[in-house]
């Protein structure tokens, strides 16, 4: 949170760690221009204006909360479905509107805060229902690299920094957490605030301020003595900010903005009636901006007079019901996110701002290709629908083996069994969305990071037959003869499951505790070797399955945040959202022998004499010659290719739009 302005809480929201289901940016200049025209002309008879809107940005999916800096804007995409699914964070360049980063955190970020050189996110776990557990994740502001993450047993809401403390609200029951801002470790016992829910959190005037929506109170908390003083304001207080010597709060039920004297907690002036269902507010210049999704407007309030400055500003079409607008300050402007219209609007704090101009969200991954005109080395021979209509973020885990191709539809919480002889879904198994899947040894294995478990599915009965507790945050999974290996990102460690007994027989640490909690840990089992990617350590680890010991560690010049493939001649790793690279190491010399530029490479496959790469940003499946390390062919598949599987004479791609593509090499 910046300038003491809160982020949206559970009270203003409607009612799965899958690291690579990432949105592709669909906006175009035409669409953005049309959107601006619609805003300018919608309900033209109303007493509203578009003056002050300096940019309208269309984004994929539904934007919820955002955090702004001088150079960039971080945006959390979300939805209203339960259980919670994995939603990406997008980093947008403020000058051009390009999407520079896409980061998945294993859930849905509901609150963002820009604190120094870090981005802090409150994240609901994949599979959660809104009550917990949850995470606080610290990321590098520029790169989006995950620096630290800590789990909490209940839902954590808004965040605010004050001095040497990071303060976090536990939403229900209302509790204030005092954390070390560097380690996220609690520094004091939780401070109960209310039996109901809290909504907003702000810092100012030497105090912490919170809104207890259920109790209709504004709370003043002394951070030193931890004493609490309550002001009963009625209604449903949500957003809160401290500005110009007053405490400002949004009363959503009454459609009004109130303000208090921070010393006496007595009201100052009359409430400002804005109508609709306002929720959040932010300061820019000498104004407060209050967003209202029901009316599709933002109201500008003069901090000196406490009165509206001009008519409401149209930023999106009216929408009811709809999650609340989020509002974030950015110097002399504010950004307002509309969940319903999938847009962001930038409003200038100067009243003479120009009419809206359209900007377009595009991929920044436009670096030169490492190949010229490439031949098509394969063709799509089947497109298998997992959902009736295309669905953003609809894909998930994918594997081939034990007589079928297994594809997860996260949007429907269903594992699809695809018959490769008919290219059709033969069975649908209702399971929560897993992080990863592997087939072999007479079963299909699914990993669940939020539960620290692996599920076993019998391919004969298509039913879950066992749930196995493994290490913390199980991520990647691989099957070898008489063993199922699981990479535990919370270790970092590797667990070996005996498929005969469904029990963990050993756990091997593969890195220091500081290298834990990576974006995604993957692993691959080959003859006499188990290779494990440890992204937060920028390296690969080789484990001897016989001795169950780490026998080699290879440092890489990038973080291997996606998948691995290997044979006896080489180990290939993809950078995913952390690096635009696919690299090869020689397992004998442990040297990096090849590194190729690839735009957001995620899925990898090794078959038919090639290394196959799913490039999320370019919508291509590339083929690399493993002998030369150079690109040999390219197939444009469109959509959002994410995960790859190899089997039944084909390459299979779950493209995250509710379909699986079957690709056959052209010999």
């Amino acid at each position: 949170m910046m300038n003491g302005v809160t982020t949206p809480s559970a009270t203003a929201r409607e009612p799965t760690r899958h690291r690579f289901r990432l949105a592709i940016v669909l906006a175009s200049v035409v669409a953005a221009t049309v959107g601006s025209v619609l805003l300018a002309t919608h309900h033209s008879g109303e007493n509203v204006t578009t003056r002050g809107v300096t940019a309208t940005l269309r984004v994929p999916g539904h934007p919820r909360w955002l955090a702004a800096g001088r150079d960039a804007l971080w945006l959390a995409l979300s939805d209203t479905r339960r259980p919670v699914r994995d939603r990406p964070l997008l980093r947008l360049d403020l000058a051009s509107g390009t999407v520079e980063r896409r980061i998945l955190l294993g859930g849905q970020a509901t609150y963002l805060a820009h604190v120094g050189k870090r981005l802090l996110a409150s994240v609901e776990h994949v599979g959660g229902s809104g009550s917990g557990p949850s995470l606080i994740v610290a990321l590098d502001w520029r790169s989006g690299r995950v620096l630290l993450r800590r789990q909490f047993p209940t839902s954590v809401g808004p965040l605010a920094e004050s001095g040497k403390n990071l303060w976090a609200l536990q939403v229900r029951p209302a509790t204030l957490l005092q954390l070390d801002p560097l380690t996220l470790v609690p520094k004091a016992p939780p401070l109960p605030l209310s039996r109901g829910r809290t909504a907003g959190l702000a810092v100012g005037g030497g105090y912490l301020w919170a809104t207890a929506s259920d109790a209709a109170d504004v709370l003043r908390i002394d951070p030193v003595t931890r004493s609490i003083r309550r002001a009963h304001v009625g209604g449903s207080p949500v957003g809160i900010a401290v500005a110009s010597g007053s405490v400002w709060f949004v009363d959503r039920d009454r459609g009004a903005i109130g303000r208090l004297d921070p010393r006496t907690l007595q009201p100052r002036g009359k409430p400002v009636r804005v109508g609709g269902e306002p929720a959040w507010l932010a300061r820019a210049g000498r104004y407060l901006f209050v967003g209202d999704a029901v009316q599709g407007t933002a109201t500008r309030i003069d901090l000196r007079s406490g009165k509206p400055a001009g008519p409401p500003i149209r930023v999106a079409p009216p929408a009811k019901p709809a999650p609340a607008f989020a509002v974030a300050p950015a110097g002399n402007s504010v950004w307002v996110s509309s969940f319903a219209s999938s847009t962001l609007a930038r409003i200038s704090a100067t009243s003479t701002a120009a009419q809206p101009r359209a900007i377009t969200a595009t991929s920044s991954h436009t670096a030169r290709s490492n190949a010229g005109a490439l031949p098509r080395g394969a063709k799509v021979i089947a497109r298998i629908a997992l959902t009736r209509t295309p669905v953003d973020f609809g894909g998930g885990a994918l594997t081939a083996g034990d007589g079928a191709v297994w594809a997860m539809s996260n949007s429907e919480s269903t594992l699809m069994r695809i018959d490769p002889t008919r290219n059709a879904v033969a069975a649908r198994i209702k399971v929560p969305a897993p992080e990863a899947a592997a087939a072999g040894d007479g079963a299909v294995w699914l990993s669940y990071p939020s539960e620290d478990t692996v599920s076993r599915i019998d391919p004969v009965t298509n039913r879950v037959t066992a749930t196995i507790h493994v290490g913390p945050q199980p991520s990647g999974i691989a099957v070898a003869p008489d063993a199922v290996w699981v990479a535990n990102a919370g270790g970092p460690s590797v667990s070996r499951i005996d498929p005969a007994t469904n029990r963990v027989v050993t756990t091997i640490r593969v890195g220091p505790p500081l290298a834990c909690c990576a974006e995604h840990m993957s692993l691959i089992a080959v003859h006499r070797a188990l290779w494990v990617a440890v992204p937060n350590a920028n390296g690969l680890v080789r484990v001897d399955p016989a001795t169950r010991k780490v026998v080699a560690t290879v440092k890489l010049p990038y973080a291997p945040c996606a998948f691995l493939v290997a044979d006896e001649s080489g180990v290939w790793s993809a950078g995913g959202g952390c690096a635009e690279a696919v690299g090869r190491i020689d397992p004998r010399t442990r040297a990096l022998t090849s590194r190729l530029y690839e735009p957001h490479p995620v899925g990898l496959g090794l078959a038919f004499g090639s290394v196959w790469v799913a490039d999320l940003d370019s919508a291509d499946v590339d083929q690399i010659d493993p002998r030369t390390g150079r690109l040999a062919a390219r197939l444009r598949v469109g959509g959002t290719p994410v995960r790859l599987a190899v089997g039944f004479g084909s390459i299979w791609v779950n493209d995250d739009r509710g379909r699986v593509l079957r690709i056959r090499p052209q010999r």
Side-chain angles (χ1 to χ4, degrees), residues 513-609:
L514 289 178
C516 85
C517 316
E519 293 297 306
H520 175 84
M521 278 183 69
S522 57
L523 74 172
I524 189 75
V526 293
H527 182 60
R528 297 181 181 177
L530 180 72
W531 289 94
V532 187
V534 187
N536 278 13
N538 277 31
L540 303 180
V541 172
R542 178 172 179 168
V543 176
D544 186 329
T547 63
R548 302 176 185 177
K549 293 183 179 180
V550 173
V551 295
T553 300
V554 181
K555 282 290 184 179
L556 297 174
Y558 59 88
C561 289
F563 288 93
L564 295 179
V565 291
D567 59 16
E568 293 186 5
S569 64
V571 182
W572 298 80
S573 62
C578 300
E580 297 172 322
V582 172
R584 176 192 180 272
I585 65 165
D586 186 316
R588 293 171 298 176
T589 65
R590 304 171 192 169
L592 185 70
T593 61
S594 174
R595 179 179 178 180
L596 291 83
Y597 167 82
E598 291 283 358
H600 209 144
V602 182
L604 292 178
L606 184 56
F608 314 113

Side-chain angles (χ1 to χ4, degrees), residues 241-283:
V242 182
S244 296
S246 294
V247 179
W248 303 78
F249 64 92
V250 178
D251 185 341
R252 186 180 56 193
D253 285 355
R254 296 170 176 169
I257 311 301
R259 58 174 170 158
L260 302 174
D261 183 311
R263 184 178 59 85
T264 65
L265 297 185
Q266 294 299 309
R268 280 183 170 171
K270 295 182 179 180
V272 181
R273 301 292 177 182
V274 295
E277 296 181 9
W280 308 107
L281 72 171
R283 176 182 181 173

Side-chain angles (χ1 to χ4, degrees), residues 137-151:
V137 182
L139 304 94
D140 180 81
W141 175 262
R142 292 183 63 84
S143 68
R145 180 173 180 266
V146 173
L147 305 173
L148 189 65
R149 58 196 299 145
R150 184 166 295 277
Q151 182 165 306

